[in-house]
Amino acid sequence: MKKSVVFALVCVLLMGLLAVTATAESYDIIYLTPSTASTFWSQVEVGILQAKADLEKELGITVNYTIVGPAEEQETEKYITAFENAIAQNPNAIVTATLSIDSTVPKAREASEMGIVLNFVNCGLGAGNDGAYEQYYNEFYYCSNDTIGELAGQAFLAAMEKKGMPTDNGIIGVNMNVENEALNHRIQAFRDYIAANAPALKMTETYYNNNVVENSQTNAENIISSYGKELIGMYSGNNITADGVCNAVRSAGLGEKFVSVGVDSDDIEIKALRDGFLDAIIVQNAYEQGYKCMENAIRTVVTGANPEAEKQVNCPPVIVTTDNIDSAEIEFIMNPHLAN
């Protein structure tokens, strides 16, 4: 074969490779998590990673994925620093959740003004569908905190009925990790439901623990010692809070005529539920929220338009008890995994 022919064939092959490279779409997306150590946010990431894999296959694209964020939720200053660093990288999209709304708003504004597709998952800049600061983000997938509180109230009274406990007197301990506009709805909705359906029951003030298990356990122990036999149960508004409460309830040997309801699942809560020291867990579908948030971010980046008709999408929670914890549906919600 003549050299000129060989050279021409090589050129054709190189041009083909260059054409493939030129047409292959690649996008940079950062998951800015509030906590790299949290079971819940890890479950959100499972959904994010599954959406990444599914959309890469469907659309023939490559997503360069990075996860950043502080180790613990209470490290909000580190979260804001990580947000600033993420913006500085100028990715195509950032998927995040915030437990520090006021500090996050200016960062969200900066990201959106730079043209970065910003999606919030679970914890955004408002309570949910209130539309707070929606001009500074693309989409928000959340679980209504009002629904969480209401379901917690339902589960609490259902557990009392199951244990043959009257609702004509008694005190309920109320516990939460931090106070902010969104999470306050979990507490108020619970209070409202109990007040409407068991008005004779009283509730303590809300004990906050700054998302530290040891603080939550100390708070619960103080509630138990302060109210004695008048105390009929406790409500814990997130999993870290519930972990501390479960430890205190276990140590005190309560359970038979005591009701405890938590929110968001982890190993401590699941063991407490099985051992009889927790009666119900209000479980968000972290996988679903993460999947939808990442899917939307990718489709928005690829097409240049948000495919959702509404800027806020509610992903409802479920009540988990010993009656349904071993079902396939609940098992996946509580322990999501990537498809093979």
Side-chain angles (χ1 to χ4, degrees):
M1 185 178 293
K2 293 182 178 181
K3 291 183 178 180
S4 59
V5 175
V6 173
F7 179 76
L9 288 172
V10 170
C11 288
V12 170
L13 289 172
L14 287 173
M15 289 176 65
L17 289 172
L18 288 172
V20 170
T21 303
T23 56
E25 298 292 345
S26 178
Y27 303 96
D28 299 326
I29 299 182
I30 296 173
Y31 171 36
L32 171 58
T33 175
S35 167
T36 57
S38 163
T39 298
F40 179 81
W41 298 115
S42 295
Q43 292 174 346
V44 169
E45 189 188 19
V46 174
I48 287 172
L49 292 174
Q50 189 64 61
K52 171 185 175 294
D54 291 348
L55 271 292
E56 282 180 324
K57 183 177 180 181
E58 176 189 336
L59 302 176
I61 61 172
T62 298
V63 174
N64 302 314
Y65 171 80
T66 308
I67 177 173
V68 298
E72 303 295 341
E73 288 184 348
Q74 64 265 30
E75 297 177 304
T76 54
E77 290 185 6
K78 290 184 178 180
Y79 168 84
I80 295 300
T81 299
F83 206 151
E84 291 170 347
N85 292 337
I87 292 172
Q89 295 180 46
N90 196 24
N92 296 100
I94 296 174
V95 173
T96 190
T98 180
L99 297 175
S100 181
I101 294 174
D102 291 342
S103 299
T104 302
V105 169
K107 304 307 171 186
R109 178 178 180 176
E110 181 181 351
S112 106
E113 289 178 348
M114 286 178 61
I116 298 171
V117 172
L118 178 62
N119 278 7
F120 282 95
V121 55
N122 190 260
C123 296
L125 302 181
N129 62 353
D130 58 357
Y133 302 107
E134 65 177 18
Q135 68 272 31
Y136 299 148
Y137 63 85
N138 179 68
E139 192 63 39
F140 179 26
Y141 292 91
Y142 71 104
C143 180
S144 168
N145 286 305
D146 288 321
T147 304
I148 290 173
E150 290 168 6
L151 287 185
Q154 290 179 29
F156 195 98
L157 296 184
M160 288 188 69
E161 182 178 5
K162 186 175 182 179
K163 293 183 175 184
M165 298 170 61
T167 59
D168 57 352
N169 63 76
I171 297 173
I172 303 171
V174 180
N175 302 270
M176 192 57 190
N177 60 337
V178 296
E179 184 176 11
N180 68 37
E181 182 182 352
L183 294 178
N184 288 348
H185 285 248
R186 290 190 190 182
I187 299 301
Q188 194 57 50
F190 176 82
R191 290 184 182 279
D192 291 344
Y193 188 90
I194 295 297
N197 294 277
L201 297 181
K202 299 178 182 179
M203 287 167 274
T204 68
E205 64 179 289
T206 303
Y207 286 71
Y208 293 99
N209 56 66
N210 199 32
N211 223 53
V212 176
V213 173
E214 292 76 12
N215 292 348
S216 174
Q217 182 169 346
T218 298
N219 287 345
E221 290 168 347
N222 289 338
I223 293 172
I224 291 169
S225 63
S226 296
Y227 293 97
K229 293 183 179 180
E230 289 184 280
L231 188 70
I232 62 168
M234 291 206 222
Y235 168 52
S236 306
N238 84 323
N239 62 310
I240 299 298
T241 301
D243 289 348
V245 170
C246 287
N247 291 341
V249 171
R250 186 186 292 273
S251 296
L254 304 174
E256 185 177 350
K257 290 295 182 179
F258 188 91
V259 171
S260 186
V261 173
V263 176
D264 298 334
S265 66
D266 61 24
D267 291 342
I268 293 176
E269 286 177 291
I270 292 170
K271 181 170 175 51
L273 182 69
R274 294 188 182 281
D275 291 347
F277 297 106
L278 187 64
D279 295 278
I281 312 173
I282 312 305
V283 178
Q284 305 181 61
N285 194 330
Y287 173 91
E288 178 187 29
Q289 292 177 60
Y291 189 101
K292 288 185 174 182
C293 196
M294 184 63 158
E295 178 186 24
N296 175 273
I298 293 173
R299 293 193 188 280
T300 301
V301 166
V302 170
T303 66
N306 186 348
E308 291 282 9
E310 301 291 337
K311 291 208 74 166
Q312 300 88 23
V313 176
N314 184 20
C315 304
V318 295
I319 299 175
V320 176
T321 67
T322 52
D323 293 334
N324 65 359
I325 191 172
D326 292 317
S327 69
E329 177 187 1
I330 298 301
E331 170 63 23
F332 184 81
I333 290 175
M334 298 181 74
N335 296 287
H337 54 79
L338 293 171
N340 295 326

